[in-house]
Amino acid sequence: MKEILNIKNTKERIDRIEDILASVASGDMDARINSEIEDDFSGIEAAIDLLINDLTDELRQRENMQKELENKLSKIQDQQKTILQQQEDLLELSSPVSKVWDNILILPVIGTLDSQRTQVMMENLLQKIVETGCTISILDITGVPTVDTQVANHLLKTVTAARLLGAECIISGISPAIAQTIVHLGIDLSAIRTKATLQDAMIFAMKQNKRADEVRALGNLALPNEKTD
Amino acid sequence: MLEFTYKAHCDLLGKFKIDTEYDIVTVRQTIRQYAKDMGMGIVDQTRITTAVSELFRNMYNYAGGGEVLIERGEVENHHALIVTCTDQGPGIEDIELAMTDGYTSGQGMGYGLPGAKRLVDRFEIQSKLKEGTTVRMMKWK
């Protein structure tokens, strides 16, 4: 026996399904078939509506996730900007040159010496040498964990530039490990006066000061003597 | 590209890229930490850190950056920290000349490559013009 399907208005309803699917495909997620007729075909219509519902949910979820990701991305970008800004700030802050005694400048170097930072450091030091007229400057590299050829090269250049301005540079704070490393690298730092600790450098600088004073005093003595002779 | 002189299995510790001067600092800090974790003393830590620093700078200055592979393995009955640097730079024309003290093709002092070689226990370098350079260094514990 053949079963007879009970379907009304078949043509119109199939057309309607096509219309609805077309509008969903073009982005209208509110379109539903919502058929009011109850017969053998309404199950399929209801199923299509359910599928559209599921699809809508999925799409919304995806949109939300995308928004969340975008938010996170912009947050990270902001943080990156802050980090870059802070790096720049640090560059300025990290090269303080101070006069600690008559005729003596100290430049404590902490962290890593890259080319940009060395440039700032050198400028600061030379500027200060000119401003204060100090003739001895101590570069303390206790806080520099790694001295490679580039850093050594920068140090040599800084010392040479300071010497051109009439100031002697003393480098202090070379750790035993770094000393061995420099020797293995083959770098010749003998042109630079170096001291193990900041204290040694300070003592040396003050002795230099004292000697300069004595020479000056001798000069003062010598002058009247010459006149009386 | 590079013929391995060691066949023993080694563990990959990390893989990094050197694109900026900042990367040089962070990756060499990482390597110092690995060296420390392996039980190397302060002198050996400083040596390997300085050696890799030289290579990173070369990669950054001459090849615009590159890749770093850090491994740990057993080589010739030694615990070894193995660092491999690969770049796709212009390559080195004359390796023997580049390994000579005081020779530089750029602005440096010319002690980077030969100095790095003296700082580690094994140093291998291979280069092909217009293709790039690979350097592998090993430091015994």
Side-chain angles (χ1 to χ4, degrees), chain A residues 43-101:
Chain A
I44 293 176
E45 286 173 331
I48 291 176
D49 274 352
L50 278 177
L51 280 177
I52 298 176
N53 280 344
D54 284 354
L55 191 67
T56 317
D57 284 349
E58 289 276 323
L59 276 177
R60 287 223 178 96
Q61 239 169 0
R62 217 180 63 186
E63 265 171 36
N64 284 342
M65 258 162 70
Q66 203 168 356
K67 260 184 212 158
E68 224 171 276
L69 279 179
E70 274 168 13
N71 279 342
K72 274 184 190 164
L73 190 70
S74 72
K75 238 184 230 171
I76 290 173
Q77 279 168 343
D78 281 349
Q79 280 171 344
Q80 221 157 19
K81 262 186 217 161
T82 319
I83 290 173
L84 282 179
Q85 182 64 43
Q86 282 172 342
Q87 273 178 349
E88 270 173 39
D89 292 348
L90 214 60
L91 203 64
E92 290 291 319
L93 287 173
S94 58
S95 316
V97 184
S98 20
K99 186 172 173 178
V100 284
W101 204 265

Side-chain angles (χ1 to χ4, degrees), chain A residues 21-37:
Chain A
L21 286 179
S23 43
V24 167
S26 66
D28 176 13
M29 302 312 292
D30 292 328
R32 295 290 185 277
I33 301 169
N34 285 335
S35 176
E36 280 157 14
I37 307 165

